[in-house]
Amino acid sequence: MSEFTMDCHVTVLPPLPFGKGYTYCVPSNLRLVVGDFVTIPLGAQEVLGVVWNTKPDKVQPEKLRYIKTKFDVSPLPEVSRRFIEWVSNYNMVPKGAVLKMVISVPAALMPPKPLTVYSISKKLPVFRITSPRERVLGILEDDAPRTLKNIMREAGVGHSVIRGLLKAGVLVKLEHTPPPAFKNPDWRAKGPVLSEEQATIASELCDQVERATFAATVLEGVPGSGKTEVYLESICRALKYGKQALVLLPEIALSAQWLQRFEDRFGCAPALWHSDLTVVQRSTAWRAIASGEAKVIVGARSALFLPFTNLGVIIIDEEHDSSFKQEEGVIYNARDMAVVRANIGKIPIVLVSATPSLESIFNVRRGQYNHFKLTHRHAGALMPKVSVIDMRNEEVKSGNWLSPPLLDSLRQTFELEEQAMLYLNRRGYAPLTLCRTCGFRLQCSHCSTWLVEHRLLGRLQCHHCGYSARIPRECPECGSEDSLTACGPGVERIAEEVAGIFPDVSSRVITSDTVNGPTQAANLVCQMEAREIDLLIGTQMISKGYHFPYLTLVGVVDADLGLAGGDLRASERTYQLLYQVSGRAGRAARPGRVIVQTYMPDHPVIQAIGIGDREQFLSAEAFDREAGGMPPFGQLVGIIVSSKDEEAVERAVRSLNRFAPRDDNIKILGPAEAPLKLLRGRHRRRFLLKSGKNQNLQRKIRYWLSVAQVPRNVRVNVDIDPYSFL
């Protein structure tokens, strides 16, 4: 690797929303290589940057500025820099914005603080002996320095005792290098005995790791088939050869059972990466990953951008999950970008799901991805029996939402001392509050959406911007008292209904409002495994990965949610959610049942869930998508124009429309008001571009945006392969 020394000109890319780096001069006291982390003067500020491998621009000598300092960390690997370039080009975002995701914790670049420990002085002075002091000296006689906290705990003394011994010269304070933050998982530890079906697939995945070349594999398996145990074998093989492994989970905060399974398998916990970690925890993890100390990393989508030194395999668990798509800031799909990262790094990637996305199935059928299927549940457990309830034929009391067949099934389950789950993908108590007198609907003042009542909190909340307000006694429009009424059910309302019918049943509401971190998720698992909870009532959070042997009944309160609207993936996503949540029932020796309530029993999604014919559903869905030229058979790109100034948005849209590409191979829909025409106080308009797979839409959009006249106070976001059409 070439070194840059005194007076060399280099390009430095700062982690800011810039599309290019800037030219700087290397001072006499530094020797740099591409990838080094440095500080640079930028305007009146001093900012971070990375020495980039692009040719420096010519700068007039009087304007040339010097790099300030170099951080004592490993350079950003070449594969990471190439990945940043690719993500930037494909998703049409500045390179600096992508780099910011790599350096998301600037404190990680600073050296870790030394560990302060205490030891007995080599030359003991004359001092007064007391019982507490004697206990302190007793535990330090083994010549193993200890931290203040450990001495106080082991000796049962207070801080003043240690302070007195220091002052007397009996103890000395030392600074040690902190011990490794993460243990090495034991790849030699014996794992569970795999079935013949599991072992065959695991062997192939391990061979891919050994070959150390790119391979994308879809690992499909029915719920409870042991997909995790299979892909853990590929991680084990990567560890054997000294490589790192990355596992992306859609809900890292809800991964308590997964983490326990990993620790049981390898004897220690993996390194974690998610937003609930403190700055210190993330800094520690970042440094350990960059140095190669952390061997297995489990995280949310942003973990994909960490500076791995020797990555050997990537696992995307629940690869179909839409939460892998980031909708804010740098808009990207972590699943798709992970495939690119694996390709650049020449390593295998495993896409794991009980319901693989149509995009992944499309790549399987084109021969681009391998495909393995686990067709049987582990240990002989059977798939649950599914019953579809046509709610048009059921007599349900006004204000209630559970049908007699579902209530009967719940009653039988509780009598057998088994557990049940009710699924409704709607947070809060009710999705809409309106006035019975004048019909006024309570709406968010910052978004064009209704406020959701959260009765447990006594507040109305917007689920898009976070705005909340107390529930008023009077209608804000007509002033009528006690005229506001809740319309429709949320999970809190279902919990209220259940409590009235089954007062002795212990239930728990599970949403992102009630379980929002790993600790709470772990407590939930403990309570369920101890059978302290009889009934879970929750949103899609309860559909992913949980394994409770005594949970034998799943009730889907409203299977039709999500089927309406113009989202091209609405049917696929609803099928995936219903199939996944159904898979929570009967995962052990006790057989499972699923009750699906619907007003549309003839809808293809409900039919597929009822008869268990996934292949027929996928074929019909693929046929419709291909006929319409929709992904994965065609391309879509969303253009979102927004500003707090509505007139500025209109001017920008008119200019964009005037310069829009005129091409027979590209169809432009819009401009039109976005379904959420106001979001977080910003007025929004949308374009949607549609084309065949062979078109380079990014190149045409770049030119389009470069010639259109967009006011400075207007933001234009490009969404490649959009998932949300709001």
Side-chain angles (χ1 to χ4, degrees), residues 154-191:
E154 292 181 43
V157 300
H159 188 273
S160 60
V161 176
I162 312 299
R163 191 166 54 242
L165 288 171
L166 277 171
K167 188 175 181 180
V170 178
L171 297 184
V172 292
K173 185 188 294 187
L174 307 171
E175 289 190 344
H176 281 193
T177 302
F182 301 98
K183 296 179 181 178
N184 282 331
D186 184 5
W187 61 267
R188 295 181 180 85
K190 190 174 181 180

Side-chain angles (χ1 to χ4, degrees), residues 62-130:
E62 65 273 14
K63 293 185 177 181
L64 192 63
R65 305 178 78 178
Y66 281 84
I67 291 171
K68 292 287 187 180
T69 58
K70 170 189 168 183
F71 289 97
D72 187 18
V73 294
S74 301
L76 186 64
E78 179 190 3
V79 66
S80 292
R81 300 193 306 273
R82 290 174 58 198
F83 183 50
I84 289 170
E85 298 269 5
W86 203 99
V87 171
S88 169
N89 289 331
Y90 182 80
N91 293 289
M92 298 188 63
V93 291
K95 279 189 293 188
V98 184
L99 178 62
K100 186 176 181 180
M101 295 196 294
V102 176
I103 320 176
S104 59
V105 194
L109 299 175
M110 303 301 295
K113 292 181 179 179
L115 185 67
T116 301
V117 294
Y118 299 85
S119 181
I120 299 175
S121 174
K122 299 298 182 184
K123 295 181 180 180
L124 279 178
V126 177
F127 65 99
R128 184 170 61 90
I129 284 287
T130 64

Side-chain angles (χ1 to χ4, degrees), residues 203-226:
S203 176
E204 178 56 37
L205 296 182
C206 289
D207 288 346
Q208 291 177 1
V209 174
E210 287 197 25
R211 287 194 289 268
T213 187
F214 172 69
T217 298
V218 173
L219 175 57
E220 180 180 355
V222 298
S225 59

